[in-house]
Amino acid sequence: MIRWTTPRGGFDTAFKFVFFMLVIHAVSMTTEYLLVGKIGLPPLTRFALSFLTAAPFVALTLFAVHRSYVLHLRLAALASTDMLTGLKNRRAFVSLTEDHFRSGNQGYVMIADADHFKDINDTYGHAVGDLCLQAVADRLRGVINPDDIVARIGGEEFGIYVRCDPAAIRALGIAVCSPICVTHDPAQLPVCLTLSIGAATTIPGETLERAMRRADEALYQAKLGGRGALVTWAGPPKLPQDAPVQSRTSFSPVVG
């Protein structure tokens, strides 16, 4: 109801104002006729009376509904956004990705993890660590299509859902896993880090939880293989072991 009554633009506001004024006028005339058996005033005078009486309240109500709707959108955005990176948070990632699963869209679920991130925090402090996470978010935003989903789902973990064919995964791995360097102090060398990524193809009828579990297994393989890599897993979920490594895109480790 609030969505329908919320004014959206000048024409929509004028239309809804006139509509509600006509409804109020009609209700007023009907009530008067039912109570006294007639309409005592001429039609134009009756309409002018209804307009002068109700117009301020209709305008105030439309304004209040509009402000309530805007506030609702802002609160919804805050509830689904990671404040540090500006990406979606885990709750939003799960909700949006599950919508794709229910629609039967084929793609990849990925889990990306910043390599040696604890060492960065311990060496340079959490402020520099935050700068690194923001740089990772910028990298992901820059390489992921607007229709795909990227979110921060943990401390240094990011969830990604993309709709692309296997041939595009290697190019995506090169774009995402190449070193990210962050300048935190002009007098010092930049801090450079890489991402390890586990990817799992979506399977019809499979749950997001299961796909993320397979992506996490692929991420583990990426870490074991030297980090700074994208490892994909595309085997059937009925296998007893998610032993994977379907393809690998690797890079040399970078020391900041």
Side-chain angles (χ1 to χ4, degrees):
M1 188 65 178
I2 291 179
R3 290 183 179 180
W4 186 87
T5 56
T6 299
R8 296 179 177 86
F11 176 80
D12 188 60
T13 300
F15 172 78
K16 289 176 178 175
F17 177 81
V18 172
F19 173 79
F20 285 115
M21 287 303 305
L22 291 175
V23 169
I24 291 173
H25 179 60
V27 170
S28 176
M29 291 183 63
T30 301
T31 302
E32 182 179 353
Y33 181 80
L34 292 175
L35 290 175
V36 301
K38 63 178 182 178
I39 304 298
L41 297 173
L44 289 178
T45 303
R46 191 71 184 80
F47 179 78
L49 180 62
S50 297
F51 180 85
L52 293 173
T53 303
F57 297 99
V58 172
L60 182 61
T61 300
L62 290 176
F63 175 76
V65 169
H66 173 71
R67 294 300 302 170
S68 297
Y69 184 66
V70 169
L71 181 60
H72 168 75
L73 293 179
R74 289 177 180 175
L75 290 175
L78 288 174
S80 63
T81 302
D82 174 64
M83 299 306 296
L84 176 63
T85 63
L87 298 176
K88 300 293 184 184
N89 59 21
R90 186 183 187 93
R91 178 187 300 175
F93 177 76
V94 170
S95 176
L96 294 172
T97 306
E98 283 182 340
D99 288 342
H100 285 282
F101 271 59
R102 284 190 290 267
S103 299
N105 295 327
Q106 298 295 299
Y108 282 85
V109 173
M110 303 181 181
I111 299 178
D113 185 82
D115 295 324
H116 304 296
F117 188 73
K118 183 178 184 301
D119 293 340
I120 293 175
N121 274 337
D122 292 344
T123 303
Y124 300 98
H126 289 279
V128 175
D130 289 347
L131 290 177
C132 291
L133 291 177
Q134 291 169 346
V136 170
D138 290 340
R139 165 67 60 81
L140 295 177
R141 269 191 292 260
V143 300
I144 301 300
N145 292 327
D147 293 335
D148 296 329
I149 305 167
V150 58
R152 184 185 178 201
I153 59 175
E156 63 269 20
E157 280 195 344
F158 298 82
I160 306 167
Y161 173 81
V162 296
R163 286 182 289 174
C164 65
D165 54 54
I169 285 296
R170 177 173 174 80
L172 182 62
I174 293 173
V176 175
C177 296
S178 57
I180 302 170
C181 293
V182 178
T183 301
H184 63 99
D185 187 337
Q188 298 185 33
L189 293 175
V191 177
C192 295
L193 71 158
T194 56
L195 296 176
S196 295
I197 302 179
T201 54
T202 60
I203 297 174
E206 184 183 38
T207 64
L208 173 60
E209 179 183 1
R210 177 62 178 172
M212 291 185 69
R213 192 180 308 162
R214 292 191 293 115
D216 196 55
E217 289 290 335
L219 173 62
Y220 179 71
Q221 295 294 326
K223 295 286 189 180
L224 286 181
R227 305 175 190 267
L230 168 69
V231 172
T232 62
W233 191 100
K238 64 183 179 181
L239 292 179
Q241 293 182 348
D242 295 348
V245 194
Q246 184 196 44
S247 63
R248 181 179 181 85
T249 303
S250 60
F251 305 90
S252 300
V254 177
V255 179

